[in-house]
Amino acid sequence: MTLLRRGTLTRVPPLNLGNQQPRTPLNADQAWRITAGRAAGTVLFFDFDGTLAPVDDDPTAVRPAPKALAAIEALAPVVQRVAIVSARPVEFLRDQLGGLAGVDLYGLYGLEHSHSGGETVTEPTALPWVPTMAELADLARAELPPGTLVEYKRLSVALHWRTAPQLGPTMQQWGQAQADRLGLRVQAGRMVLELKPPVDRDKGMVIGEVIREATGAWYFGDDVSDIKAFAALRARAAADPDFFGVCVAVANPETGQEVANAADLTIESPAALGDFLTRALTHLP
């Protein structure tokens, strides 16, 4: 497996993938040249936090890297689709992207979606959980200690402890207890625990559905939830040897090697992603 680190290529031991697609031995330029020949059938997927935008102590203050947005705007007309797949609500993504044209938005791990600026559609089976989530957010604000940041997203509640790392065990224990009590699902992340409805939607499912008719796809992510997206690309390639998929990790110390080890290439930051995508444009038609 070949990983891109700080502009150089480094070898790391491959993992046992069972029947899934082996990692590509190609470097980034080679992969983009292959993509150029099938650009009209290729989908580019991006996570938001930690990938397009640097993580911030205050999740409401996060802003995408300008160069990455400019590159995505240039790439959108060249490829089949560009999609942002995030834990954030669609409305938040829409505001952050500033009306970027030709981009599909999948929010809350796919519980919401909007295609090319259209209306936001919510997964119907998740809607009955809105009152539960509102009550849970109120309970979290009342019971959790100072230093906790409770992010209410209508269909999920995220418990952040970035400004108070010592609260991590307390938050995780409280969140798991509430999930068990209410029948919710738990999604771990970078100094955050998210509680969401027991609805079968995740990033891997979104990617698997979107790429059914695609000839290729790239996925860029930074967190453990993105590993399911990587797996979806590998499963598609295992089923169709003509499909070309590339998994890219945006490296960070908080997810350690887990995400990087699941990827084909790594990039060091959201700012570096902008440079990476700008170089990609030189290979595409």
Side-chain angles (χ1 to χ4, degrees), residues 6 18 24 34 39 42 92 107 110 168 205 207 213 218 231 251 257 273:
R6 300 183 184 277
T24 174
I34 291 175
T42 294
F92 175 88
M205 294 178 68
I207 275 63
E213 304 302 322
W218 290 61
Q257 283 295 108
L273 175 60

Side-chain angles (χ1 to χ4, degrees), residues 74-121:
L75 286 165
V78 176
V79 297
Q80 183 186 85
R81 297 175 72 179
V82 172
I84 313 300
V85 188
S86 172
R88 299 284 198 157
V90 162
E91 290 306 313
F92 175 88
L93 297 174
R94 185 177 284 122
D95 290 344
Q96 291 294 305
L97 295 174
L100 198 63
V103 176
D104 295 338
L105 305 176
Y106 293 87
L108 303 177
Y109 304 97
L111 292 178
E112 296 179 339
H113 67 267
S114 171
H115 296 296
S116 299
E119 66 174 328
T120 300
V121 177

Side-chain angles (χ1 to χ4, degrees), residues 19-201:
N19 294 323
Q20 291 184 339
Q21 176 199 21
R23 287 163 177 73
T24 174
L26 305 175
N27 64 34
D29 288 339
Q30 291 169 330
W32 282 120
R33 282 195 288 269
I34 291 175
T35 298
R38 56 181 71 206
T42 294
V43 183
L44 304 180
F45 296 98
F46 299 89
D47 173 45
F48 184 79
D49 290 280
T51 301
L52 289 180
V55 173
D56 193 277
D57 288 349
D58 179 358
T60 66
V62 169
R63 297 292 181 269
K67 197 168 186 178
L69 284 191
I72 287 174
E73 186 171 23
L75 286 165
V78 176
V79 297
Q80 183 186 85
R81 297 175 72 179
V82 172
I84 313 300
V85 188
S86 172
R88 299 284 198 157
V90 162
E91 290 306 313
F92 175 88
L93 297 174
R94 185 177 284 122
D95 290 344
Q96 291 294 305
L97 295 174
L100 198 63
V103 176
D104 295 338
L105 305 176
Y106 293 87
L108 303 177
Y109 304 97
L111 292 178
E112 296 179 339
H113 67 267
S114 171
H115 296 296
S116 299
E119 66 174 328
T120 300
V121 177
T122 301
E123 172 64 39
T125 56
L127 286 173
W129 292 89
V130 171
T132 300
M133 293 302 166
E135 293 171 5
L136 178 63
D138 290 340
L139 184 65
R141 295 186 185 102
E143 292 190 356
L144 289 172
T148 300
L149 193 155
V150 178
E151 184 184 8
Y152 171 61
K153 305 181 187 179
R154 190 174 73 104
L155 288 173
S156 71
V157 175
L159 310 175
H160 299 265
W161 58 88
R162 179 166 298 278
T163 59
Q166 73 280 5
L167 295 179
T170 299
M171 305 274 275
Q172 291 170 10
Q173 183 178 16
W174 189 91
Q176 187 61 61
Q178 297 304 317
D180 293 342
R181 179 177 69 87
L182 297 169
L184 304 175
R185 292 182 181 173
V186 171
Q187 175 67 58
R190 296 174 58 180
M191 294 194 182
V192 61
L193 190 75
E194 189 151 7
L195 288 84
K196 54 186 185 177
V199 176
D200 287 330
R201 294 298 292 167

